[in-house]
Amino acid sequence: MEDKAFILEDKKIKSIIKCLSDAIGDDVKGCLRRENLNERKSNGKKFLKWDLINRNFILNFSAGNLTAEYAKRGAWNMVPLYDRDTGTIYTVMREERFKEIQRKHSIRKKAHYIDALVQSFNFDLNTEYQMSLFEEQNFSEEEIKHIVDDIIRGFAIGESTVKRYRTILFEEYNSELTAVRCCILDSSLQIVEEADWSKYIIHKESVVVDNVVDANESHTANIKLKDKAHKKAGRRKLVALKEKSKEQKV
């Protein structure tokens, strides 16, 4: 059952969903198309997606009680959301990536930012399973504090202001958002509560025409090749006729 104190309004959830859906879909397609890059062969598409998600959050949550700010995590720039009404911080991650982090939690030597956030703000949610198997924290308080400070610095708030951490997990297929859920994790990254946000996804036709450059280029190349072959064959035929004519004169 969800903790009612930390539920977002429908309007805010829809805005988050739209930011994700647009970035994953037409924003990426449009950017690649403008630069005449083949979407299927792009090396940077998966990184570009995150730049666009970050940008959409910054543009859509620049004011109000739910705000977005850039945060540095190693070489990676991320954009968490902070709800000032409830003191809840949110981050976004692919479902597949979360499962990998969750699976390696007990053997990880360095803390992931999710480890730091749950250990700092969800420590009161420890389950019986977690208490029996993970009685000692894997990571030092100094490491945890450093990560958390880097993440919340942009919001100009103190660590004591944050009351809870939530993880927004999403799935995608063929450049379309397919599922989203918002989860509260305990210190061992087990899901304590979750809300399915998939019902807020609006499925629509892309306004960016699919890139068919490959097919056209291939077709054009074949035509050019055939034209050249015909011309070459014609020249050979002409040379052969001239040679034959010379032989007959001799």
Side-chain angles (χ1 to χ4, degrees), residues 25-221:
D26 280 357
D27 288 355
V28 166
K29 289 182 179 180
C31 189
L32 294 174
R33 173 56 61 86
R34 285 191 296 273
E35 297 302 322
N36 197 29
L37 296 172
N38 188 312
E39 182 182 352
R40 294 189 298 276
K41 296 179 181 178
S42 168
N43 292 314
K45 180 181 176 182
K46 62 180 180 180
F47 299 111
L48 176 60
K49 170 182 67 182
W50 283 106
D51 284 337
L52 294 170
I53 289 174
N54 290 346
R55 180 206 63 183
N56 289 354
F57 279 171
I58 292 293
L59 291 177
N60 284 274
F61 302 107
S62 59
N65 292 330
L66 183 64
T67 56
E69 294 288 348
Y70 277 103
K72 193 76 172 176
R73 179 67 190 119
W76 186 257
N77 289 301
M78 58 184 292
V79 174
L81 299 170
Y82 179 63
D83 185 358
R84 297 179 185 276
D85 287 337
T86 62
T88 305
I89 193 165
Y90 297 81
T91 63
V92 176
M93 180 174 286
R94 290 183 302 112
E95 188 83 45
E96 183 180 358
R97 174 61 174 152
F98 168 69
K99 289 177 180 177
E100 179 186 0
I101 292 171
Q102 186 184 48
R103 186 171 62 253
K104 296 180 179 179
H105 171 73
S106 61
I107 61 175
R108 199 159 41 249
K109 299 301 180 183
K110 293 188 65 176
H112 189 274
Y113 74 79
I114 284 185
D115 298 314
L117 291 171
V118 295
Q119 189 168 317
S120 298
F121 308 122
N122 295 1
F123 59 87
D124 59 318
L125 302 176
N126 294 336
T127 62
E128 292 182 7
Y129 171 81
Q130 192 259 340
M131 288 299 291
S132 62
L133 295 182
F134 305 100
E135 293 180 359
E136 295 183 3
Q137 297 289 357
N138 292 355
F139 317 107
S140 70
E141 291 185 10
E142 183 179 353
E143 181 185 13
I144 295 300
K145 179 172 175 51
H146 178 72
I147 294 172
V148 171
D149 286 346
D150 282 349
I151 291 174
I152 68 174
R153 183 178 293 115
F155 295 106
I157 57 174
E159 187 175 330
S160 61
T161 307
V162 183
K163 307 300 181 185
R164 183 69 74 218
Y165 165 60
R166 282 190 164 198
T167 312
I168 300 171
L169 304 174
F170 71 90
E171 296 179 69
E172 59 179 304
Y173 178 73
N174 197 25
S175 299
E176 185 174 0
L177 191 66
T178 58
V180 183
R181 59 175 178 157
C182 184
C183 304
I184 299 180
L185 313 171
D186 67 15
S187 297
S188 62
L189 306 190
Q190 301 301 307
I191 296 174
V192 177
E193 296 178 0
E194 68 175 282
D196 188 354
W197 287 1
S198 300
K199 63 183 179 181
Y200 296 100
I201 299 173
I202 298 176
H203 298 283
K204 57 184 180 181
E205 291 293 326
S206 172
V207 297
V208 179
V209 180
D210 287 337
N211 195 332
V212 292
V213 173
D214 279 357
N216 289 338
E217 287 179 347
S218 176
H219 182 60
T220 303

